[in-house]
Amino acid sequence: EAQVTQNPRYLITVTGKKLTVTCSQNMNHEYMSWYRQDPGLGLRQIYYSMNVEVTDKGDVPEGYKVSRKEKRNFPLILESPSPNQTSLYFCASSLRGRTGKQYFGPGTRLTVT
Amino acid sequence: QQQVKQSPQSLIVQKGGIPIINCAYENTAFDYFPWYQQFPGKGPALLIAIRPDVSEKKEGRFTISFNKSAKQFSLHIMDSQPGDSATYFCAASGKETSGSRLTFGEGTQLTVNP
């Protein structure tokens, strides 16, 4: 089954404790993105990747890091999480970049206390 | 700064009604306008998309209307059903952006009552 998986689905952590949210897709897509969803703000892109070792900042990259060492994986790293990073996070992949259908993962609900 | 403004924030209609969700944009370089549908606990899924060279696109009960001069586009749901209750996001992207850059609107929570 074609899908994007994210782990963990739920995470409660404390300020400053480094964490990684994993994302994996099995569709051989070149393009992958991370979004955060907040009430009243919609989905905002954090980082995106056009291929292995090629990443770029989205609209809200501060406080986040990403890496793309393999085509299928695109982890999101929070080196020192803060309460304003409490949010719902989605990973997405697509075959054709900006005009391609974005396949979203199920989401990761992160709470930083 | 929200480059794509979406309204209303929430919408309640009766079954069979025609909810309309509106989006406005400023960037004239935008040339691709998708709509995504999100059910509770799920990730968004592509519903329908339009390019600015057409004024309307239909897929089943879903229709996008596009007004290039006004820089607005809207989603109409014909004969709405309770199963259409979801959050809807409009989005836009343009040629000057690379990779998979998409700018989303704020979202509209639609409730269709039986």
Side-chain angles (χ1 to χ4, degrees):
Chain A
E1 179 190 357
Q3 61 182 350
V4 178
T5 57
Q6 295 178 228
N7 282 293
R9 294 290 313 279
Y10 302 90
L11 179 59
I12 301 174
T13 189
V14 296
T15 299
K17 186 177 181 180
K18 181 180 178 179
L19 67 92
T20 299
V21 184
T22 65
C23 173
S24 183
Q25 49 94 5
N26 63 0
M27 294 168 279
N28 203 35
H29 286 168
E30 290 189 350
Y31 298 92
M32 297 186 75
S33 300
W34 275 103
Y35 295 87
R36 60 178 289 173
Q37 182 177 354
D38 301 288
L41 296 176
L43 290 150
R44 294 179 293 167
Q45 194 174 58
I46 302 170
Y47 269 96
Y48 61 97
S49 171
M50 293 150 279
N51 212 327
V52 175
E53 303 291 2
V54 182
T55 63
D56 204 352
K57 297 177 180 178
D59 295 317
V60 289
E62 295 77 19
Y64 305 94
K65 285 178 57 177
V66 293
S67 69
R68 186 98 180 269
K69 293 181 168 45
E70 304 168 281
K71 196 172 187 178
R72 63 183 293 128
N73 297 322
F74 190 42
L76 180 69
I77 303 158
L78 284 72
E79 294 268 357
S80 182
S82 62
N84 64 12
Q85 292 178 299
T86 292
S87 188
L88 179 59
Y89 291 87
F90 288 99
C91 180
S93 74
S94 67
L95 186 61
R96 292 204 316 272
R98 67 179 187 88
T99 61
K101 176 180 177 180
Q102 303 280 321
Y103 290 81
F104 282 83
T108 295
R109 173 76 66 182
L110 173 64
T111 302
V112 183
T113 62
Chain B
Q1 181 183 358
Q2 199 82 19
Q3 291 195 51
V4 179
K5 302 289 286 183
Q6 183 173 344
S7 62
Q9 187 174 0
S10 63
L11 186 55
I12 301 174
V13 299
Q14 293 297 120
K15 178 183 173 182
I18 305 176
I20 301 173
I21 303 170
N22 300 298
C23 285
Y25 63 97
E26 289 297 323
N27 189 342
T28 55
F30 285 154
D31 66 354
Y32 175 69
F33 303 90
W35 284 88
Y36 280 79
Q37 179 188 54
Q38 183 183 30
F39 293 107
K42 304 289 187 182
L46 180 66
L47 188 62
I48 186 173
I50 196 168
R51 296 272 195 175
D53 53 342
V54 296
S55 60
E56 187 177 277
K57 182 174 181 180
K58 290 184 181 180
E59 284 188 8
R61 295 183 294 107
F62 300 92
T63 299
I64 300 179
S65 298
F66 187 84
N67 186 329
K68 189 173 182 178
S69 61
K71 292 185 286 186
Q72 295 176 347
F73 59 109
S74 59
L75 177 70
H76 302 231
I77 306 176
M78 305 302 175
D79 187 28
S80 59
Q81 302 296 312
D84 296 328
S85 297
T87 300
Y88 292 81
F89 293 97
C90 62
S93 75
K95 289 179 182 176
E96 87 287 2
T97 60
S98 60
S100 55
R101 290 294 301 272
L102 269 179
T103 299
F104 283 84
E106 300 92 330
T108 296
Q109 188 168 345
L110 172 67
T111 302
V112 181
N113 289 324

